[in-house]
Short mmCIF file of all heavy atoms in Angstrom, two decimals:
data_model
loop_
_atom_site.label_atom_id
_atom_site.label_comp_id
_atom_site.label_asym_id
_atom_site.label_seq_id
_atom_site.Cartn_x
_atom_site.Cartn_y
_atom_site.Cartn_z
N LEU A 584 4.58 14.07 4.03
CA LEU A 584 3.92 14.74 5.17
C LEU A 584 4.93 15.02 6.28
O LEU A 584 4.90 16.08 6.92
CB LEU A 584 2.78 13.87 5.71
CG LEU A 584 1.61 13.64 4.75
CD1 LEU A 584 0.66 12.60 5.30
CD2 LEU A 584 0.87 14.94 4.50
N ARG A 585 5.84 14.08 6.45
CA ARG A 585 6.89 14.26 7.47
C ARG A 585 7.84 15.39 7.07
O ARG A 585 8.18 16.26 7.88
CB ARG A 585 7.64 12.93 7.57
CG ARG A 585 8.61 12.82 8.72
CD ARG A 585 9.06 11.39 8.89
NE ARG A 585 9.68 10.82 7.69
CZ ARG A 585 10.91 11.15 7.25
NH1 ARG A 585 11.62 12.02 7.94
NH2 ARG A 585 11.40 10.57 6.17
N ALA A 586 8.21 15.42 5.78
CA ALA A 586 9.11 16.45 5.28
C ALA A 586 8.47 17.84 5.40
O ALA A 586 9.16 18.81 5.74
CB ALA A 586 9.48 16.16 3.84
N GLU A 587 7.17 17.90 5.15
CA GLU A 587 6.49 19.21 5.27
C GLU A 587 6.58 19.76 6.70
O GLU A 587 6.54 20.97 6.89
CB GLU A 587 5.00 19.03 4.90
CG GLU A 587 4.77 18.87 3.40
CD GLU A 587 3.32 18.52 3.08
OE1 GLU A 587 2.50 18.35 4.02
OE2 GLU A 587 3.02 18.40 1.88
N ARG A 588 6.69 18.87 7.63
CA ARG A 588 6.76 19.29 9.03
C ARG A 588 8.19 19.30 9.57
O ARG A 588 8.42 19.53 10.76
CB ARG A 588 5.88 18.35 9.88
CG ARG A 588 4.38 18.56 9.66
CD ARG A 588 3.59 17.34 10.04
NE ARG A 588 2.16 17.52 9.80
CZ ARG A 588 1.57 17.43 8.60
NH1 ARG A 588 2.31 17.19 7.53
NH2 ARG A 588 0.29 17.62 8.46
N SER A 589 9.13 18.98 8.68
CA SER A 589 10.56 18.92 9.06
C SER A 589 10.79 17.94 10.21
O SER A 589 11.60 18.20 11.11
CB SER A 589 11.08 20.30 9.46
OG SER A 589 10.93 21.20 8.40
N TRP A 590 10.07 16.84 10.15
CA TRP A 590 10.24 15.80 11.19
C TRP A 590 11.19 14.73 10.65
O TRP A 590 11.07 14.35 9.48
CB TRP A 590 8.92 15.12 11.53
CG TRP A 590 7.94 15.97 12.25
CD1 TRP A 590 8.17 17.18 12.83
CD2 TRP A 590 6.55 15.68 12.47
NE1 TRP A 590 7.02 17.67 13.41
CE2 TRP A 590 6.01 16.76 13.19
CE3 TRP A 590 5.72 14.62 12.13
CZ2 TRP A 590 4.65 16.81 13.59
CZ3 TRP A 590 4.39 14.66 12.52
CH2 TRP A 590 3.87 15.74 13.24
N SER A 591 12.04 14.24 11.49
CA SER A 591 12.85 13.08 11.13
C SER A 591 12.01 11.82 11.36
O SER A 591 10.92 11.90 11.99
CB SER A 591 14.12 13.02 11.99
OG SER A 591 13.74 12.76 13.34
N GLN A 592 12.49 10.68 10.87
CA GLN A 592 11.78 9.42 11.15
C GLN A 592 11.66 9.19 12.65
O GLN A 592 10.66 8.71 13.15
CB GLN A 592 12.51 8.25 10.51
CG GLN A 592 12.34 8.19 8.98
CD GLN A 592 12.98 6.95 8.38
OE1 GLN A 592 13.84 6.33 9.00
NE2 GLN A 592 12.57 6.60 7.18
N GLN A 593 12.73 9.58 13.37
CA GLN A 593 12.73 9.39 14.82
C GLN A 593 11.69 10.29 15.49
O GLN A 593 10.99 9.87 16.42
CB GLN A 593 14.13 9.67 15.40
CG GLN A 593 14.26 9.31 16.88
CD GLN A 593 14.04 7.82 17.13
OE1 GLN A 593 14.73 6.97 16.58
NE2 GLN A 593 13.06 7.48 17.97
N ASP A 594 11.56 11.53 14.98
CA ASP A 594 10.54 12.45 15.52
C ASP A 594 9.14 11.84 15.39
O ASP A 594 8.35 11.83 16.34
CB ASP A 594 10.55 13.80 14.79
CG ASP A 594 11.82 14.60 15.04
OD1 ASP A 594 12.41 14.40 16.13
OD2 ASP A 594 12.22 15.40 14.17
N LEU A 595 8.86 11.33 14.18
CA LEU A 595 7.55 10.72 13.94
C LEU A 595 7.37 9.47 14.79
O LEU A 595 6.29 9.23 15.36
CB LEU A 595 7.39 10.39 12.44
CG LEU A 595 6.06 9.73 12.04
CD1 LEU A 595 4.87 10.59 12.47
CD2 LEU A 595 6.02 9.46 10.54
N ALA A 596 8.44 8.68 14.87
CA ALA A 596 8.37 7.45 15.68
C ALA A 596 8.05 7.77 17.14
O ALA A 596 7.24 7.09 17.78
CB ALA A 596 9.70 6.68 15.59
N ASP A 597 8.68 8.85 17.66
CA ASP A 597 8.42 9.26 19.05
C ASP A 597 6.97 9.66 19.23
O ASP A 597 6.33 9.33 20.24
CB ASP A 597 9.35 10.41 19.44
CG ASP A 597 10.80 9.98 19.54
OD1 ASP A 597 11.04 8.76 19.64
OD2 ASP A 597 11.68 10.85 19.50
N ARG A 598 6.43 10.39 18.24
CA ARG A 598 5.04 10.82 18.33
C ARG A 598 4.07 9.63 18.27
O ARG A 598 3.01 9.66 18.90
CB ARG A 598 4.73 11.81 17.21
CG ARG A 598 5.28 13.19 17.44
CD ARG A 598 5.09 14.07 16.20
NE ARG A 598 5.32 15.48 16.49
CZ ARG A 598 6.52 16.06 16.57
NH1 ARG A 598 7.59 15.34 16.33
NH2 ARG A 598 6.63 17.33 16.85
N LEU A 599 4.46 8.62 17.50
CA LEU A 599 3.60 7.45 17.33
C LEU A 599 3.86 6.38 18.43
O LEU A 599 3.12 5.39 18.52
CB LEU A 599 3.84 6.79 15.96
CG LEU A 599 3.42 7.62 14.75
CD1 LEU A 599 3.93 6.96 13.47
CD2 LEU A 599 1.90 7.75 14.71
N GLU A 600 4.95 6.58 19.17
CA GLU A 600 5.37 5.60 20.19
C GLU A 600 5.67 4.25 19.56
O GLU A 600 5.22 3.18 20.04
CB GLU A 600 4.32 5.48 21.31
CG GLU A 600 4.14 6.76 22.08
CD GLU A 600 3.16 6.64 23.23
OE1 GLU A 600 2.27 5.78 23.14
OE2 GLU A 600 3.30 7.41 24.18
N VAL A 601 6.37 4.31 18.42
CA VAL A 601 6.87 3.07 17.78
C VAL A 601 8.36 3.26 17.50
O VAL A 601 8.91 4.34 17.74
CB VAL A 601 6.12 2.77 16.45
CG1 VAL A 601 4.65 2.54 16.67
CG2 VAL A 601 6.36 3.87 15.43
N SER A 602 9.02 2.22 16.99
CA SER A 602 10.43 2.33 16.67
C SER A 602 10.63 3.08 15.35
O SER A 602 9.71 3.13 14.53
CB SER A 602 11.04 0.93 16.55
OG SER A 602 10.44 0.24 15.48
N ARG A 603 11.85 3.62 15.17
CA ARG A 603 12.16 4.29 13.91
C ARG A 603 12.14 3.28 12.77
O ARG A 603 11.73 3.60 11.64
CB ARG A 603 13.54 4.96 13.98
CG ARG A 603 13.85 5.87 12.80
CD ARG A 603 15.30 6.23 12.73
NE ARG A 603 16.17 5.05 12.70
CZ ARG A 603 16.31 4.26 11.66
NH1 ARG A 603 15.64 4.49 10.54
NH2 ARG A 603 17.13 3.22 11.70
N GLN A 604 12.50 2.04 13.07
CA GLN A 604 12.45 1.00 12.04
C GLN A 604 11.04 0.82 11.50
O GLN A 604 10.83 0.58 10.32
CB GLN A 604 12.95 -0.35 12.60
CG GLN A 604 14.40 -0.36 12.99
CD GLN A 604 14.59 -0.11 14.46
OE1 GLN A 604 14.02 0.84 15.01
NE2 GLN A 604 15.39 -0.93 15.11
N SER A 605 10.05 0.94 12.41
CA SER A 605 8.65 0.81 11.99
C SER A 605 8.28 1.91 11.01
O SER A 605 7.69 1.66 9.97
CB SER A 605 7.72 0.88 13.21
OG SER A 605 7.98 -0.17 14.06
N VAL A 606 8.66 3.14 11.37
CA VAL A 606 8.33 4.28 10.49
C VAL A 606 8.99 4.08 9.12
O VAL A 606 8.36 4.26 8.07
CB VAL A 606 8.81 5.60 11.13
CG1 VAL A 606 8.71 6.76 10.14
CG2 VAL A 606 8.00 5.91 12.38
N ASN A 607 10.26 3.64 9.14
CA ASN A 607 10.96 3.42 7.89
C ASN A 607 10.28 2.32 7.05
O ASN A 607 10.11 2.50 5.84
CB ASN A 607 12.42 3.01 8.20
CG ASN A 607 13.22 2.85 6.93
OD1 ASN A 607 13.27 3.75 6.07
ND2 ASN A 607 13.86 1.71 6.79
N ALA A 608 9.87 1.24 7.69
CA ALA A 608 9.24 0.12 6.96
C ALA A 608 7.89 0.56 6.38
O ALA A 608 7.54 0.16 5.26
CB ALA A 608 9.06 -1.07 7.90
N ILE A 609 7.16 1.36 7.12
CA ILE A 609 5.83 1.83 6.62
C ILE A 609 6.06 2.81 5.48
O ILE A 609 5.42 2.70 4.43
CB ILE A 609 5.04 2.49 7.77
CG1 ILE A 609 4.67 1.47 8.84
CG2 ILE A 609 3.76 3.12 7.21
CD1 ILE A 609 4.16 2.07 10.12
N GLU A 610 7.00 3.72 5.68
CA GLU A 610 7.26 4.75 4.65
C GLU A 610 7.69 4.13 3.33
O GLU A 610 7.27 4.59 2.26
CB GLU A 610 8.40 5.63 5.18
CG GLU A 610 8.05 7.10 5.17
CD GLU A 610 9.21 7.93 5.72
OE1 GLU A 610 10.33 7.88 5.15
OE2 GLU A 610 9.00 8.62 6.69
N THR A 611 8.51 3.11 3.39
CA THR A 611 9.02 2.49 2.16
C THR A 611 8.06 1.44 1.61
O THR A 611 8.38 0.78 0.63
CB THR A 611 10.40 1.84 2.43
OG1 THR A 611 10.28 0.97 3.55
CG2 THR A 611 11.46 2.89 2.73
N GLY A 612 6.90 1.30 2.24
CA GLY A 612 5.90 0.36 1.74
C GLY A 612 6.20 -1.10 2.01
O GLY A 612 5.55 -2.00 1.47
N LYS A 613 7.19 -1.37 2.88
CA LYS A 613 7.53 -2.75 3.20
C LYS A 613 6.57 -3.34 4.21
O LYS A 613 6.46 -4.54 4.35
CB LYS A 613 8.97 -2.83 3.74
CG LYS A 613 10.02 -2.58 2.69
CD LYS A 613 11.41 -2.58 3.33
CE LYS A 613 12.49 -2.32 2.27
NZ LYS A 613 13.78 -2.01 2.88
N TYR A 614 5.93 -2.48 4.96
CA TYR A 614 5.02 -2.95 6.02
C TYR A 614 3.77 -2.06 6.03
O TYR A 614 3.87 -0.85 6.05
CB TYR A 614 5.73 -2.91 7.38
CG TYR A 614 4.85 -3.30 8.53
CD1 TYR A 614 4.44 -4.62 8.72
CD2 TYR A 614 4.41 -2.33 9.43
CE1 TYR A 614 3.61 -4.98 9.75
CE2 TYR A 614 3.57 -2.69 10.50
CZ TYR A 614 3.19 -4.01 10.65
OH TYR A 614 2.37 -4.36 11.68
N ASP A 615 2.62 -2.72 6.02
CA ASP A 615 1.34 -1.98 6.15
C ASP A 615 0.93 -1.99 7.61
O ASP A 615 0.82 -3.05 8.23
CB ASP A 615 0.25 -2.67 5.31
CG ASP A 615 0.50 -2.49 3.82
OD1 ASP A 615 1.11 -1.48 3.44
OD2 ASP A 615 0.10 -3.38 3.04
N PRO A 616 0.69 -0.81 8.18
CA PRO A 616 0.37 -0.77 9.62
C PRO A 616 -1.02 -1.35 9.90
O PRO A 616 -1.87 -1.41 9.01
CB PRO A 616 0.41 0.73 9.94
CG PRO A 616 0.08 1.39 8.65
CD PRO A 616 0.67 0.52 7.58
N SER A 617 -1.21 -1.77 11.15
CA SER A 617 -2.52 -2.23 11.58
C SER A 617 -3.50 -1.03 11.58
O SER A 617 -3.06 0.14 11.52
CB SER A 617 -2.45 -2.80 13.00
OG SER A 617 -2.13 -1.76 13.91
#
Side-chain angles (χ1 to χ4, degrees):
Chain A
L584 295 171
R585 190 168 58 74
E587 285 173 358
R588 289 158 181 78
S589 302
W590 291 348
S591 67
Q592 286 185 340
Q593 188 61 59
D594 292 333
L595 179 57
D597 291 343
R598 284 172 166 81
L599 293 170
E600 296 182 333
V601 299
S602 63
R603 189 194 56 73
Q604 294 97 312
S605 297
V606 170
N607 183 53
I609 294 167
E610 235 180 57
T611 53
K613 288 176 181 168
Y614 177 71
D615 290 331
S617 66

